[in-house]
Amino acid sequence: MRPLLCCLGLAMLLGPGLACPSACSCSIKKNGRLLAECAYKDLQEVPEGLSSNVTILTLSANRISWLGPDSFTEVREVQSLWLGYNQIGVVAPGAFALLVHLKNLDLSHNKIADFPWQDLHNLSGLQILKMNNNQLAGLPRDAFRSLKDLRSLWLNDNKLTTLAEGTFDNLPSLSQLQIFNNPFNCSCKVFWLKKWTENTSVSVTKGGSTLCVAPGRLKGRAVTDIPDHHCVAPSVQLTYLSNLDNSVMYDGLMLTLHCSVAGSPPPEIRWKIQTSSRRVEISGPNMALDGNIKQSQERFLVFKNGTMAIPKFSKEDEGIYTCLAVNDVGMRDVSVNVALAGSENPAEDLLRDDPQASHLGGQSCYKGDEMDPSGAGEKLVIVYHMPRESKSRAGGLLPQVHLGTLLLALGTVLCC
Protein backbone atom coordinates (compact mmCIF):
# COMPACT_ATOMS: atom_id res chain seq x y z
CA MET A 1 0.00 0.00 0.00
CA ARG A 2 2.79 2.47 0.92
CA PRO A 3 4.63 2.13 -2.45
CA LEU A 4 1.33 2.71 -4.22
CA LEU A 5 0.75 5.92 -2.27
CA CYS A 6 4.24 7.15 -3.18
CA CYS A 7 3.56 6.57 -6.86
CA LEU A 8 0.26 8.40 -6.62
CA GLY A 9 1.99 11.31 -4.87
CA LEU A 10 4.59 11.58 -7.61
CA ALA A 11 1.88 11.50 -10.27
CA MET A 12 -0.01 14.31 -8.54
CA LEU A 13 3.15 16.40 -8.28
CA LEU A 14 4.01 15.97 -11.93
CA GLY A 15 0.43 16.72 -12.91
CA PRO A 16 -1.55 15.46 -15.88
CA GLY A 17 0.18 15.58 -19.24
CA LEU A 18 3.64 16.24 -17.71
CA ALA A 19 5.12 12.77 -17.79
CA CYS A 20 8.79 12.35 -18.64
CA PRO A 21 9.83 11.58 -22.21
CA SER A 22 10.14 7.85 -22.83
CA ALA A 23 13.92 8.10 -23.08
CA CYS A 24 14.22 9.72 -19.65
CA SER A 25 13.42 8.84 -16.06
CA CYS A 26 12.13 11.38 -13.58
CA SER A 27 12.43 11.39 -9.82
CA ILE A 28 12.08 13.75 -6.90
CA LYS A 29 15.24 14.40 -4.90
CA LYS A 30 15.18 14.67 -1.12
CA ASN A 31 15.46 18.44 -1.41
CA GLY A 32 12.27 18.50 -3.47
CA ARG A 33 13.94 19.14 -6.80
CA LEU A 34 12.74 17.27 -9.85
CA LEU A 35 15.45 15.34 -11.70
CA ALA A 36 15.12 14.37 -15.37
CA GLU A 37 17.77 11.75 -16.10
CA CYS A 38 18.35 11.40 -19.85
CA ALA A 39 22.04 10.41 -20.00
CA TYR A 40 23.44 7.55 -22.06
CA LYS A 41 20.27 7.28 -24.19
CA ASP A 42 21.81 7.80 -27.63
CA LEU A 43 19.73 10.97 -28.06
CA GLN A 44 20.44 13.19 -31.07
CA GLU A 45 18.54 16.23 -29.77
CA VAL A 46 17.01 17.56 -26.57
CA PRO A 47 13.85 15.50 -25.99
CA GLU A 48 10.42 17.12 -25.96
CA GLY A 49 7.81 16.65 -23.25
CA LEU A 50 9.96 17.58 -20.25
CA SER A 51 8.14 18.86 -17.19
CA SER A 52 8.30 22.59 -16.56
CA ASN A 53 9.16 21.71 -12.94
CA VAL A 54 12.49 20.11 -13.88
CA THR A 55 15.35 21.70 -11.96
CA ILE A 56 18.06 19.14 -12.79
CA LEU A 57 18.41 17.96 -16.38
CA THR A 58 21.07 15.42 -17.30
CA LEU A 59 21.74 14.94 -21.01
CA SER A 60 25.37 13.81 -20.79
CA ALA A 61 26.92 11.16 -23.04
CA ASN A 62 24.44 11.33 -25.91
CA ARG A 63 24.86 12.22 -29.59
CA ILE A 64 23.35 15.72 -29.50
CA SER A 65 25.05 17.83 -32.21
CA TRP A 66 23.20 21.15 -31.99
CA LEU A 67 21.20 23.33 -29.63
CA GLY A 68 18.50 25.57 -31.05
CA PRO A 69 16.90 28.71 -29.58
CA ASP A 70 13.92 26.62 -28.40
CA SER A 71 15.79 23.60 -27.06
CA PHE A 72 15.13 24.43 -23.40
CA THR A 73 11.91 26.46 -23.49
CA GLU A 74 10.10 23.68 -21.60
CA VAL A 75 12.51 23.74 -18.66
CA ARG A 76 12.93 27.42 -17.79
CA GLU A 77 13.19 26.56 -14.08
CA VAL A 78 16.24 24.35 -14.57
CA GLN A 79 19.12 25.03 -12.20
CA SER A 80 21.61 22.34 -13.24
CA LEU A 81 22.09 21.41 -16.89
CA TRP A 82 24.57 18.68 -17.80
CA LEU A 83 25.47 18.41 -21.51
CA GLY A 84 28.99 17.01 -21.36
CA TYR A 85 30.31 14.31 -23.68
CA ASN A 86 28.02 15.01 -26.62
CA GLN A 87 28.85 16.14 -30.16
CA ILE A 88 27.57 19.70 -29.88
CA GLY A 89 29.09 21.88 -32.56
CA VAL A 90 26.33 24.45 -33.08
CA VAL A 91 24.78 26.57 -30.33
CA ALA A 92 22.19 29.01 -31.63
CA PRO A 93 21.89 32.48 -30.06
CA GLY A 94 19.24 32.39 -27.35
CA ALA A 95 19.69 28.72 -26.51
CA PHE A 96 20.46 29.54 -22.85
CA ALA A 97 19.17 33.11 -22.61
CA LEU A 98 15.90 32.17 -20.85
CA LEU A 99 17.47 29.92 -18.20
CA VAL A 100 17.79 32.68 -15.63
CA HIS A 101 17.76 30.23 -12.68
CA LEU A 102 20.73 28.26 -13.98
CA LYS A 103 23.51 27.64 -11.45
CA ASN A 104 25.49 24.80 -13.06
CA LEU A 105 26.18 24.46 -16.79
CA ASP A 106 28.37 21.69 -18.19
CA LEU A 107 29.23 21.86 -21.91
CA SER A 108 32.55 20.04 -21.64
CA HIS A 109 33.85 17.47 -24.14
CA ASN A 110 31.95 18.73 -27.16
CA LYS A 111 32.93 20.41 -30.45
CA ILE A 112 31.99 24.01 -29.72
CA ALA A 113 34.08 26.54 -31.65
CA ASP A 114 31.60 29.41 -31.68
CA PHE A 115 29.37 30.25 -28.72
CA PRO A 116 26.66 32.92 -28.18
CA TRP A 117 28.44 34.63 -25.28
CA GLN A 118 25.65 37.19 -24.97
CA ASP A 119 23.44 34.41 -23.57
CA LEU A 120 25.58 34.37 -20.44
CA HIS A 121 24.64 37.97 -19.65
CA ASN A 122 21.25 36.76 -18.39
CA LEU A 123 22.70 34.03 -16.17
CA SER A 124 23.75 36.15 -13.22
CA GLY A 125 23.26 33.26 -10.78
CA LEU A 126 25.61 30.86 -12.59
CA GLN A 127 28.14 29.29 -10.21
CA ILE A 128 29.86 26.57 -12.25
CA LEU A 129 30.63 26.80 -15.97
CA LYS A 130 32.47 23.97 -17.72
CA MET A 131 33.52 24.57 -21.32
CA ASN A 132 36.70 22.53 -21.30
CA ASN A 133 37.66 20.12 -24.07
CA ASN A 134 36.03 22.04 -26.89
CA GLN A 135 37.41 23.95 -29.87
CA LEU A 136 37.21 27.53 -28.59
CA ALA A 137 39.86 29.66 -30.28
CA GLY A 138 38.89 32.93 -28.63
CA LEU A 139 36.37 34.65 -26.41
CA PRO A 140 35.37 38.29 -25.97
CA ARG A 141 36.72 40.33 -23.10
CA ASP A 142 33.25 40.79 -21.58
CA ALA A 143 32.09 37.18 -21.99
CA PHE A 144 31.72 36.65 -18.22
CA ARG A 145 31.01 40.19 -17.07
CA SER A 146 27.57 39.42 -15.56
CA LEU A 147 28.54 36.26 -13.68
CA LYS A 148 28.89 37.76 -10.21
CA ASP A 149 28.30 34.39 -8.49
CA LEU A 150 30.62 32.32 -10.71
CA ARG A 151 32.92 30.21 -8.53
CA SER A 152 34.44 27.69 -10.96
CA LEU A 153 35.38 28.26 -14.61
CA TRP A 154 36.84 25.52 -16.82
CA LEU A 155 38.39 26.57 -20.14
CA ASN A 156 41.22 24.05 -20.35
CA ASP A 157 41.90 21.88 -23.41
CA ASN A 158 40.65 24.32 -26.00
CA LYS A 159 42.43 26.23 -28.79
CA LEU A 160 42.89 29.54 -27.01
CA THR A 161 46.01 31.38 -28.22
CA THR A 162 45.41 34.57 -26.26
CA LEU A 163 43.06 36.15 -23.73
CA ALA A 164 42.04 39.79 -23.64
CA GLU A 165 43.18 41.74 -20.62
CA GLY A 166 40.35 41.99 -18.11
CA THR A 167 38.68 38.73 -19.15
CA PHE A 168 38.42 37.65 -15.50
CA ASP A 169 37.62 41.05 -14.05
CA ASN A 170 34.23 41.56 -12.40
CA LEU A 171 34.15 37.97 -11.12
CA PRO A 172 34.20 38.60 -7.36
CA SER A 173 33.22 35.02 -6.45
CA LEU A 174 35.70 33.20 -8.71
CA SER A 175 37.84 30.73 -6.76
CA GLN A 176 38.88 28.15 -9.36
CA LEU A 177 40.10 28.66 -12.93
CA GLN A 178 41.37 26.02 -15.34
CA ILE A 179 43.06 27.26 -18.53
CA PHE A 180 45.83 24.67 -19.01
CA ASN A 181 46.45 22.79 -22.27
CA ASN A 182 45.75 25.74 -24.54
CA PRO A 183 48.22 26.74 -27.31
CA PHE A 184 49.03 30.18 -25.92
CA ASN A 185 51.01 32.61 -28.06
CA CYS A 186 53.03 34.31 -25.34
CA SER A 187 53.30 37.67 -27.00
CA CYS A 188 52.95 40.63 -24.71
CA LYS A 189 49.19 40.47 -25.23
CA VAL A 190 49.06 37.78 -22.53
CA PHE A 191 51.67 39.37 -20.26
CA TRP A 192 48.80 40.70 -18.15
CA LEU A 193 47.84 37.08 -17.40
CA LYS A 194 51.18 36.49 -15.71
CA LYS A 195 50.72 39.58 -13.55
CA TRP A 196 47.13 38.63 -12.78
CA THR A 197 48.04 35.10 -11.63
CA GLU A 198 50.76 36.55 -9.39
CA ASN A 199 48.30 38.78 -7.57
CA THR A 200 45.00 36.91 -7.61
CA SER A 201 43.63 34.68 -4.87
CA VAL A 202 41.99 32.48 -7.52
CA SER A 203 43.35 28.94 -7.72
CA VAL A 204 44.67 28.52 -11.28
CA THR A 205 44.69 24.74 -11.50
CA LYS A 206 47.76 23.08 -13.02
CA GLY A 207 49.44 26.39 -13.71
CA GLY A 208 52.60 24.57 -14.78
CA SER A 209 50.69 23.11 -17.73
CA THR A 210 49.67 26.57 -18.96
CA LEU A 211 52.48 26.62 -21.49
CA CYS A 212 53.57 28.82 -24.36
CA VAL A 213 53.51 27.34 -27.86
CA ALA A 214 54.86 30.51 -29.49
CA PRO A 215 57.04 32.50 -30.03
CA GLY A 216 59.86 30.03 -30.50
CA ARG A 217 62.12 31.49 -27.80
CA LEU A 218 59.39 30.92 -25.18
CA LYS A 219 58.01 27.61 -26.46
CA GLY A 220 57.51 25.14 -23.62
CA ARG A 221 57.77 27.77 -20.89
CA ALA A 222 54.88 28.45 -18.57
CA VAL A 223 52.87 31.59 -19.21
CA THR A 224 53.74 32.59 -15.66
CA ASP A 225 57.46 32.55 -16.61
CA ILE A 226 57.34 35.20 -19.35
CA PRO A 227 60.40 37.41 -18.61
CA ASP A 228 59.53 40.86 -17.30
CA HIS A 229 62.02 42.55 -19.65
CA HIS A 230 60.25 40.91 -22.60
CA CYS A 231 57.25 43.23 -22.12
CA VAL A 232 57.61 46.86 -21.05
CA ALA A 233 54.75 49.36 -21.08
CA PRO A 234 55.24 52.43 -23.30
CA SER A 235 56.73 55.72 -22.23
CA VAL A 236 56.25 58.82 -24.33
CA GLN A 237 57.93 62.22 -24.59
CA LEU A 238 56.58 65.11 -26.62
CA THR A 239 58.84 67.96 -27.70
CA TYR A 240 58.05 71.01 -29.78
CA LEU A 241 60.47 72.56 -32.21
CA SER A 242 60.81 75.83 -34.05
CA ASN A 243 63.23 76.39 -36.89
CA LEU A 244 63.19 79.95 -38.10
CA ASP A 245 65.00 79.15 -41.33
CA ASN A 246 62.46 76.45 -42.19
CA SER A 247 59.64 78.78 -41.27
CA VAL A 248 60.91 81.32 -43.77
CA MET A 249 61.30 78.63 -46.43
CA TYR A 250 57.62 77.76 -46.08
CA ASP A 251 56.68 81.44 -46.37
CA GLY A 252 55.00 81.29 -42.99
CA LEU A 253 55.07 79.53 -39.68
CA MET A 254 55.63 75.77 -39.48
CA LEU A 255 54.87 74.06 -36.17
CA THR A 256 56.84 70.88 -35.53
CA LEU A 257 56.09 68.39 -32.75
CA HIS A 258 58.23 65.34 -32.09
CA CYS A 259 57.00 62.27 -30.22
CA SER A 260 59.68 59.99 -28.76
CA VAL A 261 58.57 56.61 -27.42
CA ALA A 262 60.12 53.61 -25.71
CA GLY A 263 58.88 50.19 -24.67
CA SER A 264 58.96 46.51 -25.57
CA PRO A 265 57.69 45.62 -28.08
CA PRO A 266 58.43 48.98 -29.77
CA PRO A 267 55.28 51.09 -29.46
CA GLU A 268 53.24 52.31 -32.39
CA ILE A 269 52.80 56.09 -32.55
CA ARG A 270 49.35 57.57 -33.12
CA TRP A 271 48.17 61.17 -33.15
CA LYS A 272 44.90 62.77 -32.11
CA ILE A 273 44.20 66.39 -33.01
CA GLN A 274 41.26 68.37 -31.68
CA THR A 275 40.73 71.88 -33.06
CA SER A 276 37.68 74.11 -32.92
CA SER A 277 36.51 72.92 -36.33
CA ARG A 278 37.54 69.28 -36.59
CA ARG A 279 38.87 66.16 -34.95
CA VAL A 280 41.57 64.11 -36.66
CA GLU A 281 43.10 60.75 -35.78
CA ILE A 282 46.22 59.55 -37.58
CA SER A 283 47.52 56.00 -37.08
CA GLY A 284 51.07 55.75 -38.31
CA PRO A 285 53.03 57.95 -40.74
CA ASN A 286 51.37 59.51 -43.77
CA MET A 287 54.62 60.68 -45.35
CA ALA A 288 56.53 58.23 -47.56
CA LEU A 289 60.32 58.09 -47.66
CA ASP A 290 60.28 59.91 -51.00
CA GLY A 291 58.37 62.81 -49.46
CA ASN A 292 55.02 61.98 -51.03
CA ILE A 293 51.88 62.03 -48.92
CA LYS A 294 50.41 58.53 -48.47
CA GLN A 295 47.13 59.51 -46.79
CA SER A 296 44.55 62.23 -47.20
CA GLN A 297 45.41 64.20 -44.02
CA GLU A 298 47.84 66.40 -45.91
CA ARG A 299 47.35 69.26 -43.42
CA PHE A 300 49.26 67.29 -40.79
CA LEU A 301 52.48 65.70 -42.03
CA VAL A 302 53.43 62.66 -39.91
CA PHE A 303 56.81 61.00 -40.37
CA LYS A 304 58.02 57.53 -39.40
CA ASN A 305 60.40 58.90 -36.77
CA GLY A 306 57.51 60.35 -34.73
CA THR A 307 57.65 63.91 -36.00
CA MET A 308 54.58 65.88 -37.03
CA ALA A 309 54.84 69.07 -39.06
CA ILE A 310 52.06 71.58 -39.74
CA PRO A 311 53.15 74.02 -42.48
CA LYS A 312 51.62 77.51 -42.46
CA PHE A 313 50.28 77.08 -38.94
CA SER A 314 47.30 79.38 -38.41
CA LYS A 315 44.57 80.16 -35.90
CA GLU A 316 42.47 77.37 -37.41
CA ASP A 317 45.10 74.86 -36.25
CA GLU A 318 44.90 75.86 -32.60
CA GLY A 319 43.88 73.04 -30.31
CA ILE A 320 45.01 69.97 -28.41
CA TYR A 321 47.66 67.74 -29.97
CA THR A 322 48.00 64.30 -28.42
CA CYS A 323 50.66 61.69 -29.10
CA LEU A 324 49.80 58.11 -28.14
CA ALA A 325 52.30 55.27 -27.71
CA VAL A 326 50.64 51.86 -28.00
CA ASN A 327 52.03 48.33 -27.66
CA ASP A 328 50.74 44.96 -26.47
CA VAL A 329 51.36 45.88 -22.83
CA GLY A 330 49.44 49.12 -22.75
CA MET A 331 49.05 52.70 -23.90
CA ARG A 332 50.45 56.06 -22.84
CA ASP A 333 49.59 59.50 -24.16
CA VAL A 334 50.72 63.06 -23.68
CA SER A 335 49.09 66.27 -24.93
CA VAL A 336 49.91 69.91 -25.57
CA ASN A 337 47.45 72.70 -26.09
CA VAL A 338 48.78 74.89 -28.87
CA ALA A 339 47.63 78.49 -29.37
CA LEU A 340 48.75 81.22 -31.76
CA ALA A 341 48.94 84.83 -30.67
CA GLY A 342 50.42 88.06 -31.98
CA SER A 343 51.69 90.83 -29.76
CA GLU A 344 54.68 93.09 -29.27
CA ASN A 345 55.35 91.14 -26.07
CA PRO A 346 53.14 88.02 -25.81
CA ALA A 347 54.93 86.79 -22.70
CA GLU A 348 53.94 89.91 -20.78
CA ASP A 349 50.38 89.70 -22.06
CA LEU A 350 49.97 86.12 -20.86
CA LEU A 351 51.60 86.81 -17.51
CA ARG A 352 49.28 89.73 -17.02
CA ASP A 353 46.24 87.59 -17.92
CA ASP A 354 47.38 84.69 -15.72
CA PRO A 355 49.59 85.64 -12.74
CA GLN A 356 50.22 81.92 -12.14
CA ALA A 357 51.93 81.49 -15.51
CA SER A 358 55.68 80.99 -15.53
CA HIS A 359 58.41 80.57 -18.11
CA LEU A 360 59.08 76.98 -19.17
CA GLY A 361 62.58 75.82 -18.44
CA GLY A 362 62.62 73.04 -21.05
CA GLN A 363 60.79 72.20 -24.23
CA SER A 364 59.34 68.78 -23.57
CA CYS A 365 56.58 66.93 -21.82
CA TYR A 366 57.04 63.34 -20.72
CA LYS A 367 54.92 60.51 -19.47
CA GLY A 368 56.31 57.13 -18.53
CA ASP A 369 56.01 54.32 -16.01
CA GLU A 370 57.50 56.32 -13.18
CA MET A 371 55.16 59.24 -13.70
CA ASP A 372 52.01 59.68 -11.66
CA PRO A 373 49.11 58.84 -13.98
CA SER A 374 46.70 60.63 -11.69
CA GLY A 375 48.11 63.99 -12.71
CA ALA A 376 45.56 65.97 -14.63
CA GLY A 377 46.45 69.36 -15.75
CA GLU A 378 49.22 71.12 -17.68
CA LYS A 379 48.28 73.51 -20.44
CA LEU A 380 51.20 74.24 -22.72
CA VAL A 381 50.68 77.28 -24.92
CA ILE A 382 53.09 78.01 -27.74
CA VAL A 383 52.81 81.67 -28.73
CA TYR A 384 54.28 82.85 -32.00
CA HIS A 385 55.00 86.57 -32.29
CA MET A 386 55.04 88.07 -35.80
CA PRO A 387 55.33 91.83 -35.13
CA ARG A 388 56.71 93.21 -38.38
CA GLU A 389 58.29 92.37 -41.68
CA SER A 390 62.01 92.18 -42.36
CA LYS A 391 64.11 91.61 -45.38
CA SER A 392 65.19 88.12 -46.31
CA ARG A 393 68.63 87.22 -47.54
CA ALA A 394 67.23 87.27 -51.06
CA GLY A 395 65.99 90.81 -50.60
CA GLY A 396 62.26 90.00 -50.48
CA LEU A 397 59.87 90.71 -47.66
CA LEU A 398 58.98 87.69 -45.51
CA PRO A 399 57.45 87.38 -42.06
CA GLN A 400 59.96 87.39 -39.23
CA VAL A 401 58.96 84.72 -36.68
CA HIS A 402 59.79 84.93 -32.97
CA LEU A 403 58.93 82.05 -30.65
CA GLY A 404 57.75 82.57 -27.10
CA THR A 405 56.90 79.53 -24.97
CA LEU A 406 55.04 79.57 -21.68
CA LEU A 407 53.89 76.99 -19.21
CA LEU A 408 50.54 77.90 -17.71
CA ALA A 409 50.44 76.28 -14.28
CA LEU A 410 46.86 75.17 -13.76
CA GLY A 411 47.33 73.50 -10.41
CA THR A 412 48.22 69.96 -11.53
CA VAL A 413 50.52 68.41 -14.05
CA LEU A 414 49.46 66.40 -17.07
CA CYS A 415 52.55 65.49 -18.98
CA CYS A 416 55.58 66.48 -16.98
Side-chain angles (χ1 to χ4, degrees):
M1 179 64 71
R2 185 171 296 175
L4 179 60
L5 291 175
C6 290
C7 292
L8 290 173
L10 176 59
M12 292 177 62
L13 180 64
L14 293 177
L18 295 179
C20 288
S22 58
C24 307
S25 60
C26 295
S27 61
I28 298 177
K29 307 295 286 184
K30 291 182 178 179
N31 56 14
R33 294 180 180 178
L34 179 60
L35 167 65
E37 177 61 69
C38 310
Y40 296 95
K41 300 297 182 180
D42 208 30
L43 297 173
Q44 297 185 31
E45 59 184 15
V46 178
E48 296 181 357
L50 289 163
S51 169
S52 61
N53 295 328
V54 168
T55 54
I56 304 172
L57 176 56
T58 302
L59 289 163
S60 305
N62 281 292
R63 293 195 296 138
I64 299 172
S65 61
W66 67 281
L67 298 174
D70 300 322
S71 291
F72 303 107
T73 53
E74 293 182 334
V75 289
R76 298 189 184 188
E77 301 296 319
V78 69
Q79 297 180 18
S80 297
L81 180 55
W82 309 109
L83 289 158
Y85 293 93
N86 274 281
Q87 301 174 19
I88 301 170
V90 176
V91 182
F96 301 104
L98 299 178
L99 307 183
V100 296
H101 302 287
L102 204 58
K103 295 183 179 180
N104 306 302
L105 177 58
D106 181 8
L107 288 163
S108 63
H109 296 272
N110 279 288
K111 301 178 180 180
I112 300 172
D114 190 19
F115 185 80
W117 300 103
Q118 66 273 14
D119 279 16
L120 298 183
H121 296 169
N122 291 335
L123 311 185
S124 58
L126 198 63
Q127 298 179 8
I128 297 175
L129 176 59
K130 294 185 177 183
M131 302 192 73
N132 52 292
N133 294 87
N134 275 284
Q135 299 179 17
L136 297 172
L139 51 105
R141 181 183 182 276
D142 64 346
F144 312 116
R145 70 180 184 189
S146 301
L147 307 183
K148 304 300 183 183
D149 293 335
L150 190 67
R151 294 185 286 107
S152 182
L153 176 59
W154 298 38
L155 294 169
N156 54 284
D157 293 278
N158 275 285
K159 296 183 178 180
L160 298 172
T161 59
T162 189
L163 290 169
E165 184 171 1
T167 297
F168 308 121
D169 290 352
N170 302 315
L171 296 176
S173 302
L174 190 65
S175 60
Q176 181 188 35
L177 173 66
Q178 298 198 13
I179 54 173
F180 58 90
N181 290 345
N182 278 290
F184 283 112
N185 181 345
C186 292
S187 69
C188 293
K189 290 182 179 180
V190 299
F191 186 68
W192 71 271
L193 186 58
K194 170 188 175 173
K195 296 298 185 182
W196 183 82
T197 56
E198 289 174 350
N199 297 298
T200 185
S201 60
V202 176
S203 173
V204 184
T205 307
K206 295 186 179 179
S209 298
T210 309
L211 304 179
C212 304
V213 171
R217 64 182 178 278
L218 296 177
K219 185 176 181 179
R221 296 185 65 170
V223 172
T224 53
D225 290 337
I226 299 175
D228 286 349
H229 64 80
H230 180 64
C231 302
V232 180
S235 62
V236 56
Q237 183 177 12
L238 185 57
T239 55
Y240 48 91
L241 309 171
S242 176
N243 187 310
L244 298 185
D245 292 337
N246 284 347
S247 298
V248 171
M249 287 173 58
Y250 273 88
D251 191 20
L253 173 65
M254 180 172 70
L255 172 65
T256 304
L257 300 173
H258 181 71
C259 188
S260 301
V261 299
S264 180
E268 171 192 351
I269 296 176
R270 303 175 188 172
W271 290 91
K272 289 186 178 180
I273 302 142
Q274 178 69 64
T275 68
S276 59
S277 60
R278 60 175 166 171
R279 182 171 184 170
V280 178
E281 294 188 12
I282 305 175
S283 298
N286 59 18
M287 292 293 295
L289 293 177
D290 58 6
N292 292 323
I293 299 173
K294 297 190 293 184
Q295 301 175 16
S296 61
Q297 303 296 344
E298 70 282 353
R299 186 73 193 94
F300 307 101
L301 309 181
V302 178
F303 298 84
K304 188 176 182 180
N305 68 350
T307 296
M308 173 190 287
I310 305 101
K312 297 183 180 180
F313 187 85
S314 67
K315 293 288 287 185
E316 293 181 355
D317 301 314
E318 290 183 329
I320 299 174
Y321 289 73
T322 301
C323 173
L324 300 95
V326 182
N327 68 8
D328 291 341
V329 187
M331 183 272 290
R332 291 281 184 170
D333 66 86
V334 62
S335 301
V336 291
N337 191 340
V338 182
L340 181 66
S343 168
E344 289 298 325
N345 196 332
E348 289 183 2
D349 289 348
L350 285 172
L351 287 170
R352 181 171 58 252
D353 294 339
D354 185 355
Q356 298 297 321
S358 60
H359 289 282
L360 180 65
Q363 291 188 334
S364 69
C365 288
Y366 177 84
K367 183 174 282 185
D369 289 339
E370 69 276 11
M371 298 300 166
D372 181 4
S374 63
E378 170 186 321
K379 183 177 182 181
L380 179 66
V381 179
I382 301 178
V383 181
Y384 293 90
H385 180 210
M386 305 173 65
R388 55 181 175 270
E389 296 176 337
S390 61
K391 290 185 178 182
S392 69
R393 295 176 184 176
L397 293 178
L398 289 174
Q400 181 65 35
V401 181
H402 297 284
L403 175 65
T405 308
L406 297 170
L407 172 66
L408 301 187
L410 302 182
T412 53
V413 176
L414 173 63
C415 63
C416 296

